[in-house]
Amino acid sequence: MTDLSAFAITRKWPAKHPDRLQLYSLPTPNGVKVSIMLEETGLPYEAHLVSFETQDQLSPEFIATFPNNKIPAILDPNGPGGQPLALFESGAILLYLAEKSGQFLPLDATARYQTIQWLMFQMGGIGPMFGQVGFFTIFAGKDFEDKRPRERYVLEARRLLGVLNQRLEHRAWVMGDTYTIADIAIFPWVRNLIERYHAGDLVGMQDFAHVTRALAAFVARPAVQRGLTVPQRA
């Protein structure tokens, strides 16, 4: 049996199946990127709920293994060279799982780097900017009297949606007919902008028909539907 006792996180979240990849997460836009990827690849895994309500991500056990105290994070008992690997940052995890499984990342060098380019587009643009829209619409920022910060992020969200809409105009997915980690990274955030932040009207989603079409196709995938609920909330 695989021994993961060297990793402090397993003291707070003991592994029932230590031979499987361990996922520490919550169904947030960043969190479900990894659960969806795991469902899509079919890699065996065990999910552990990291509750923000009880600040699990700030626990000594979590920080000892994942110092940035953010979800999602994974612990793979069968990492490179057969050694366990602890990994945080959703983009890095998607790349790792794509290479581990041999899925959702093109082998052709040009297409591979273009896919990574769009992954970074989500990591550096869509995630942070859409998150700020959420802050100023449903979280603490909604009470700010000065609406200029909100408008700044709404305009940037629209710009990013325009870039994505143009990319999808003649493509089923970000990379064409091939579904990749770029889609797995981007569309949970688009869904969240509409369903969680209720900002569809605010950013004018009706103007981005190609994004809306691709989002519907994404959400209809069985693996996506499963991944959106992982880990299960208590």
Side-chain angles (χ1 to χ4, degrees), residues 130-208:
F130 287 15
Q132 291 290 352
V133 172
F135 176 78
F136 286 103
T137 54
I138 68 168
F139 298 118
K142 71 181 187 299
D143 299 322
F144 289 10
E145 291 184 9
D146 186 348
K147 298 306 177 186
R148 286 175 296 180
R150 187 191 76 167
E151 292 310 307
R152 183 252 193 256
Y153 291 114
V154 168
L155 288 173
E156 181 61 6
R158 278 188 56 81
R159 188 190 72 80
L160 293 165
L161 286 166
V163 173
L164 182 60
N165 197 66
Q166 184 178 36
R167 176 69 180 179
L168 291 166
E169 184 174 359
H170 302 294
R171 296 175 175 86
W173 302 105
V174 170
M175 288 302 298
D177 293 333
T178 304
Y179 176 78
T180 69
I181 57 173
D183 305 292
I184 295 172
I186 289 170
F187 287 110
W189 272 104
V190 178
R191 174 181 177 271
N192 200 69
L193 184 71
I194 300 168
E195 297 190 12
R196 176 75 172 97
Y197 299 159
H198 309 294
D201 290 340
L202 185 64
V203 300
M205 280 302 300
Q206 71 277 2
D207 297 331
F208 307 110

Side-chain angles (χ1 to χ4, degrees), residues 37-160:
M37 181 66 171
L38 287 166
E39 289 292 333
E40 292 278 16
T41 61
L43 290 169
Y45 72 99
E46 179 179 350
H48 305 278
L49 181 70
V50 179
S51 173
F52 289 172
E53 294 177 0
T54 54
Q55 296 189 318
D56 286 346
Q57 76 278 15
L58 299 179
S59 64
E61 295 89 351
F62 193 94
I63 292 175
T65 309
F66 307 112
N68 198 35
N69 61 273
K70 302 288 185 181
I71 64 96
I74 63 169
L75 174 57
D76 186 359
N78 300 300
Q83 298 301 308
L85 172 68
L87 201 60
F88 65 89
E89 282 296 334
S90 58
I93 296 170
L94 288 180
L95 285 168
Y96 174 72
L97 294 177
E99 293 183 345
K100 181 181 179 71
S101 66
Q103 301 178 63
F104 308 114
L105 184 61
L107 294 177
D108 172 76
T110 298
R112 175 186 176 87
Y113 281 110
Q114 288 176 340
T115 303
I116 294 172
Q117 165 186 260
W118 287 100
L119 172 63
M120 297 302 130
F121 172 77
Q122 184 279 305
M123 298 293 294
I126 281 181
M129 295 300 105
F130 287 15
Q132 291 290 352
V133 172
F135 176 78
F136 286 103
T137 54
I138 68 168
F139 298 118
K142 71 181 187 299
D143 299 322
F144 289 10
E145 291 184 9
D146 186 348
K147 298 306 177 186
R148 286 175 296 180
R150 187 191 76 167
E151 292 310 307
R152 183 252 193 256
Y153 291 114
V154 168
L155 288 173
E156 181 61 6
R158 278 188 56 81
R159 188 190 72 80
L160 293 165

